[in-house]
Amino acid sequence: MTVRGDFKEPARCRPDLVIGREEPFAEARGQLARGGSVLLHGPAGIGKSTVLRALAAENAGAAPTVLRCSATESESHLPFLALADLFGLVLDRVSGALPAAQRTALESALTGRGESTLQRDGLALRLAVLSTLRALAAEGPVLVVADDLQWLDPASAELLGFAARRLGDTPVQMLCAVRTEGLEEYDRHLRACPPDTRVVRLGPFSRAQVSTLLDHRGYTGLSRTTVRDIHRTSGGNPLFALELGRALAESPTRPRPGEPLPVPTSLRALVLSRLEMLSDEARRTLLVAGVGARPTPALLRAAGREHAEEETAQAAALGLLATDPEEPTLRFAHPLISAALYAEAPAHERRAAHAALSTAAFDPIERARHLALATTGTDPEVAARLAEAAALARDRGAPSVAASLGLLAARHTPVDPSADGPRADPASGGGVPSPDERRLQAAEDAITAGEVDLARDIAREVLTRATVPAERVRAWMVVIEAAGQALGEVDAVYPQVLADAGDDPRLLALVHYQLAWREVVVDGDFAKARLETAHAAELAARGGDRRTELMALAFQSSTETLMGHPDAPATIERALQEPQDPDVACHHNGAASARFRWLLMSDRLPEARRSITGLLREARRRGMVESEVHFLRLLADTELRSGHCGRALDLTRESLRLARDSGIGESASAMLASLAEASGGDVDRALALAREAADHAEVDGDQMYLSLALAALGYARLVAGDAAAAVRALRRVRELEHGMGINDPARGRWHGDLAEALVRIGEPGEAQELINVTRVHARRLNRLSVLAVLDRAEALVRAARGEHEAARVQLTSAQDRLAALGLGLEEARAAFALARLRARGPGPAPYDEAARLFRRCRALPWLRQVDAAVAAGPAAPESAPAAPATPAALDSLASMERQVASLVMEGATNREIAGRLFISVKTVEATLTRVYRKLGIRSRVDIVRLAAGRRTR
């Protein structure tokens, strides 16, 4: 594809800002920092000039002399023009340093005076360019910036290449960009660059990068579905994506479902010149190919294009089609070509192309789509066929296609179907649905496909006119589902939907199920959520809605599991009883998912892995994007607990990519990606992801995921060696979970990390108190892995108090139990703690076992800690413990400290103290820290002992 030379990026593009090019930008930056040269290449509009300008601006400060040229196609025939751009302003500075013959030849070439040519003055000109660069480099480093190298006049290219090959160690760098369509076309342009030039290819943007670019340029009103279409049509080309986004933003109407995007004139011009070289019949054949899903010559012939082979061969010769002898399907050289062809075609030709394929296409879904696009106005027969096709797409696991077909069915459904007489609709099983019923089905399909913006827009549109309670409640459910974790943003919906539901148990069951989620996410009250789910299940059973009953029971079992409620296993069994609903069976909030969480928290890792692997496979088969995001994350969690850090990293990165593309589950995916990065990847990235997840949850008002994100942040800070920051994050987790009523320590498994961090900052007393409280719940629920981790943490407390032998015995036991449970990373951490303990004694520290276990887990950040410990050598002997405080030391405390201490003596918890003194729990914790330090004690128990000693004096 050729691009006019005057077709540039919009003027509002900032040259110093690079979006979506972090990796190639960093690669080029590193090469320039090492003193090398860079050649950027890629197709037109891919962003080469943007990256080139940003790199030039960044490196201009290090080079006193920056020489620039930017060639154009219309000027490429003018000899020495690029050379004049480069040297025209600096020639006076160095002309005195050039030999007379070189100076004369160069001045003649640059000014146009005289008859200087490569044939006549070749050697003198070549040496003059080399001498000029060396003279400039004598004053300091030189940076040559050349854009659009493909339009460089041949004479300038030859002279630059000659000099570049002979510069040697002279501090001259070249930063160039060249347009290429293939992977190897840059080779001939390397002749104009130094031998050490690094070639950096700029490829297409991902969908998420296109979305970021459009947002940055102000096109923020586009739905994710539209962004997906822009990404597909542009082929990931940022310039094309921006032009498509601009056209959509300026267009008063949106394309109909199933239609290509409108292509602005600026982009049509890129391909129309070649399209004009086709015959009218060849253009019509190409139009039919462009609207077909998988066009082949056989399909085109069946659609009435008798000379399809000859006409498509003509298009391939013009570079409009990419040919592959082993692949019968015709493929356009760029998606933009078919989009531009469709945009240029008259409306009657478009309809004719769709009509031809409505009978010729082999797939019933494609036939129905083409029939809809060939038909104008309402038609109940067409609507029924579209509804059948939507149901078929749904069964095939293509909910996005089902949503598109459902919208087309609604468009062709008469507002009053009774006027045409009653009809049987196979998709609904009864009479003909109304247009809004079909729209709501399309919205629910869009939710399944992860297209929440589209779903919300459809539901809001239906609510503007719907009067039937069932339709209104159904639409409200879509609005609530589309809010994701940001349920606080739809708080005003609940009173309205309750009013619409009236006293219908089926509708009320739906509402109370969503109210249960609100209790968890917004208010963080699991006890109330459990009551709401139980009520929803009862209402659904009374109304005969098995699907909602199963979803409510599954949610009830999840809340009971996290609360440590004894009824959790029985509720899971109720949720798994027949009859089952196939959609619920593989839903991320269904009973099978709830059972998986229970297996994981119960340390039954092999069963948990088999369960979640099956759920992920089924969700992918059905096209359930939100469930796929969650199941990828949950499988990653299983692998991480098993000590497979590399596998967990791959899964979390895949989950995060999918979450960002769809806008679903971003906070949860970022949270688990942080845990995986801190365990087996990059700790700085782990910290950034944890902060991102926490910020996201804070904005959404989602306490449930906020606590998990903060737990990930605390763990990452612990791995990074910042124990004090880890304590701050994990103390807040403790406060949040206490407020939510979460009593199962297997939920977030942060307790051992907090205890370890407390020991590191000199608070073993608080660590022991945390261990004691957590151990009670862990024993009650038989959480064996939690108990082993608590023992590992308690061994650290004992070691801090000088009880080294007891600590060694406890660590050895913890390591053995964690190994037996299959928790590879926790086992390795216990081995590392044991090695550190032994390092305090005489002789070499036995770190080999810890290193082996971390290496088996591919736990790279932990391996680096082992390396650091080995390099540090034997630990310094611990100082003698401070002398115990006397009872009289209590009198030395400040007023607030004495008040807190006196309430501790009464047995008050930190929360109770905060309530009685009207201060925050954090303030209580900070005050107790000061009390411990002043008194030289380690725990609340020591305060009570001191008080008892004072009373007995």
Side-chain angles (χ1 to χ4, degrees), residues 655-741:
S655 173
L656 190 56
R657 277 195 303 271
L658 186 57
R660 285 176 171 162
D661 274 352
S662 63
I664 295 173
E666 292 181 77
S667 179
S669 294
M671 174 272 299
L672 203 73
S674 171
L675 289 173
E677 291 285 353
S679 298
D682 183 278
V683 179
D684 288 337
R685 178 167 167 75
L687 290 166
L689 285 167
R691 293 189 193 100
E692 175 191 332
D695 291 345
H696 210 302
E698 291 267 26
V699 170
D700 289 345
D702 182 353
Q703 294 191 56
M704 181 171 65
Y705 275 118
L706 177 59
S707 67
L708 290 171
L710 289 172
L713 180 60
Y715 173 67
R717 284 173 169 168
L718 182 67
V719 176
D722 190 349
V727 167
R728 289 194 296 272
L730 295 173
R731 277 174 174 165
R732 191 174 176 204
V733 176
R734 179 175 60 189
E735 183 179 344
L736 284 167
E737 291 204 354
H738 181 76
M740 288 187 285

Side-chain angles (χ1 to χ4, degrees), residues 226-239:
T226 302
V227 171
R228 179 199 63 194
D229 292 341
I230 289 175
H231 177 256
R232 183 180 62 244
T233 303
S234 68
N237 186 297
L239 178 58

Side-chain angles (χ1 to χ4, degrees), residues 104-430:
T104 301
L106 187 57
E107 287 176 348
S108 297
L110 298 187
T111 61
R113 294 191 297 270
E115 292 294 328
S116 181
T117 65
L118 276 180
Q119 288 74 24
R120 175 180 166 182
D121 301 315
L123 181 58
L125 275 174
R126 287 174 170 83
L127 294 175
V129 172
L130 179 59
S131 298
T132 299
L133 289 172
R134 284 174 174 166
L136 291 170
E139 302 173 4
V142 176
L143 178 64
V144 178
V145 181
D147 200 0
D148 282 320
L149 209 60
Q150 74 279 359
W151 303 134
L152 219 63
D153 63 275
S156 296
E158 167 64 23
L159 293 171
L160 275 178
F162 175 86
R165 291 190 294 273
R166 289 163 175 80
L167 285 169
D169 294 333
T170 306
V172 176
Q173 296 174 269
M174 293 186 68
L175 173 58
C176 305
V178 63
R179 180 186 305 170
T180 57
E181 296 298 333
L183 292 177
E184 304 301 331
E185 292 181 15
Y186 61 81
D187 284 353
R188 60 190 178 91
H189 299 290
L190 278 174
R191 292 196 294 269
C193 302
D196 66 342
T197 299
R198 187 179 190 88
V199 177
V200 178
R201 182 175 184 270
L202 301 184
F205 272 21
S206 67
R207 190 197 306 181
Q209 289 169 333
V210 166
S211 178
T212 301
L213 180 65
L214 291 168
D215 285 346
H216 173 72
R217 295 299 175 84
Y219 305 132
T220 54
L222 303 174
S223 69
R224 290 184 180 273
T225 306
T226 302
V227 171
R228 179 199 63 194
D229 292 341
I230 289 175
H231 177 256
R232 183 180 62 244
T233 303
S234 68
N237 186 297
L239 178 58
F240 299 170
L242 284 172
E243 288 296 301
L244 290 167
R246 180 181 59 77
L248 279 169
E250 294 174 354
S251 174
T253 59
R254 292 287 188 264
R256 295 167 60 190
E259 286 186 344
L261 295 176
V263 180
T265 305
S266 59
L267 293 185
R268 293 187 207 179
L270 302 182
V271 295
L272 286 182
S273 59
R274 279 180 288 168
L275 288 173
E276 290 171 355
M277 300 173 68
L278 292 172
S279 66
D280 290 344
E281 288 302 310
R283 286 186 66 164
R284 292 190 184 99
T285 296
L286 221 56
L287 177 63
V288 176
V291 298
R294 289 173 296 278
T296 62
L299 176 64
L300 294 177
R301 286 195 302 273
R305 309 311 302 168
E306 298 178 2
H307 305 290
E309 280 87 352
E310 296 90 336
E311 289 160 351
T312 53
Q314 182 186 356
L318 292 171
L320 295 167
L321 292 176
T323 58
D324 183 348
E326 297 182 0
E327 176 55 57
T329 302
L330 301 171
R331 184 169 55 85
F332 283 85
H334 192 282
L336 188 63
I337 296 173
S338 60
L341 184 64
Y342 192 90
E344 281 291 305
H348 70 275
E349 287 192 7
R350 297 183 192 179
R351 288 196 296 273
H354 288 299
L357 288 173
S358 69
T359 57
F362 305 112
D363 186 79
I365 292 177
E366 188 178 358
R367 287 199 300 270
R369 183 177 72 87
H370 288 301
L371 178 63
L373 295 173
T375 305
T376 57
T378 60
D379 187 320
E381 294 287 352
V382 172
R385 281 188 58 183
L386 285 163
E388 292 177 23
L392 180 58
R394 202 174 300 120
D395 290 342
R396 288 182 181 178
S400 179
V401 175
S404 176
L405 292 168
L407 288 175
L408 286 170
R411 182 186 292 272
H412 291 286
T413 301
V415 176
D416 183 11
S418 61
D420 296 289
R423 300 179 188 275
D425 186 345
S428 64

